[in-house]
Amino acid sequence: MKKLITVAFMAFLSLVSYAQDDWANFGRYEQDNREVKATPNDGRRVVFIGNSITQNWRSMRPQFFTDHGFIPRGISGQTSYQMLLRFREDVLSLNPKVVVINAGTNDIAQNNHRYVEDRTFGNIVGMCQLAKAAKVKVILTTITPCGLYPWRREIKDVPQKIESLNARLRDYAKQNKIAFVDYFTPMAIDSGEKKGSMKEGLSSDGCHPTDAGYAIMEPLILQAIRKIVKVK
């Protein structure tokens, strides 16, 4: 039964993929994916799927990815809905050993739809289930801190919404024995009026990490990856 559900879900994703091609931005990594598939797979591939946090990471600190052979698949502004749609093409088709999932902050920012925590959580769970069906190990990560979205200032209670979703992801990872990396705690102000906001010096706009922010994130994710696969 589980296999039938998985096959049906994959078929659904395929149909929606073609119907919503521009929305999910499949073309962003189409050529890059061809190049990855054309190279020998040593069984140690690690794909990072995410939004601008992942895209900027690759742009600002490319050596982190090239030194370890990591494959970045971040697209700025994307929500978990879009990542779920392109998960098959930008992750599973590359036959990785591990996928690092970072999603949800743009859902809360309501970049292209109303925020419903249950649906965002369900999208992230959906990615985990697709990875499991393909025998790809998952590392779930928290949303990074943000006190206010500069591009969506009307969104209220941002830190509380982030902490709520992070707590659900943490519980899900624990219940399903999935590796979990907490970027939030070491990067967030932990008390006072600005609780849940990014610490001073770790972001230029309060949401997107700077070099200093990524310097905190890198050893945390490396430690988790190295427990699963030997990387450079």
Side-chain angles (χ1 to χ4, degrees):
M1 185 63 178
K2 186 181 290 186
K3 288 184 177 179
L4 288 174
I5 292 173
T6 300
V7 170
F9 188 44
M10 293 292 284
F12 166 76
L13 287 181
S14 296
L15 289 172
V16 177
S17 295
Y18 288 113
Q20 300 289 344
D21 187 65
D22 290 335
W23 189 66
N25 201 354
F26 294 103
R28 172 66 177 82
Y29 290 108
E30 190 173 10
Q31 181 57 39
D32 292 338
N33 289 342
R34 287 197 197 98
E35 292 173 5
V36 170
K37 292 174 190 177
T39 61
N41 188 347
D42 63 3
R44 298 187 297 172
R45 285 180 182 167
V46 179
V47 176
F48 285 62
I49 187 166
N51 45 52
S52 58
I53 306 298
T54 302
Q55 180 176 306
N56 293 352
W57 196 344
R58 172 65 179 85
S59 298
M60 295 172 64
R61 296 170 70 91
Q63 195 168 354
F64 174 72
F65 291 88
T66 56
D67 283 357
H68 301 291
F70 297 153
I71 302 170
R73 291 294 179 264
I75 298 181
S76 181
Q78 284 210 333
T79 64
S80 64
Y81 295 77
Q82 292 164 303
M83 291 181 216
L84 178 58
L85 282 177
R86 65 184 178 89
F87 195 81
R88 179 176 57 85
E89 292 192 28
D90 283 349
V91 178
L92 300 185
S93 73
L94 306 181
N95 294 313
K97 178 71 175 180
V98 179
V99 60
V100 178
I101 300 173
N102 181 264
T105 199
N106 289 321
D107 297 49
I108 296 171
Q110 300 189 58
N111 274 18
N112 52 35
H113 48 71
R114 180 171 63 92
Y115 177 57
V116 179
E117 184 182 281
D118 284 347
R119 293 174 186 169
T120 295
F121 175 71
N123 290 338
I124 297 171
V125 168
M127 286 186 264
C128 293
Q129 291 174 334
L130 288 171
K132 182 179 180 181
K135 295 181 169 45
V136 176
K137 296 291 185 181
V138 174
I139 299 177
L140 265 182
T141 68
T142 60
I143 298 171
T144 50
C146 184
L148 179 72
Y149 295 114
W151 64 98
R152 292 300 301 273
R153 292 182 177 276
E154 70 274 18
I155 304 299
K156 307 299 182 184
D157 303 320
V158 172
Q160 292 81 3
K161 290 172 181 173
I162 290 175
E163 289 193 68
S164 178
L165 182 54
N166 281 344
R168 290 186 71 174
L169 295 176
R170 182 182 293 106
D171 289 345
Y172 175 78
K174 183 177 181 180
Q175 291 167 11
N176 291 275
K177 298 180 180 179
I178 292 172
F180 186 78
V181 172
D182 180 6
Y183 298 139
F184 183 89
T185 300
M187 299 177 75
I189 296 171
D190 61 8
S191 62
E193 291 183 1
K194 293 187 176 181
K195 181 180 179 183
S197 299
M198 189 87 78
K199 287 179 180 176
E200 192 71 29
L202 301 185
S203 174
S204 59
D205 64 357
C207 293
H208 294 89
T210 58
D211 251 16
Y214 287 122
I216 291 174
M217 296 164 65
E218 287 175 5
L220 296 175
I221 196 64
L222 270 176
Q223 183 180 32
I225 292 170
R226 284 173 171 156
K227 288 180 180 178
I228 301 173
V229 60
K230 291 182 180 180
V231 295
K232 301 173 186 176

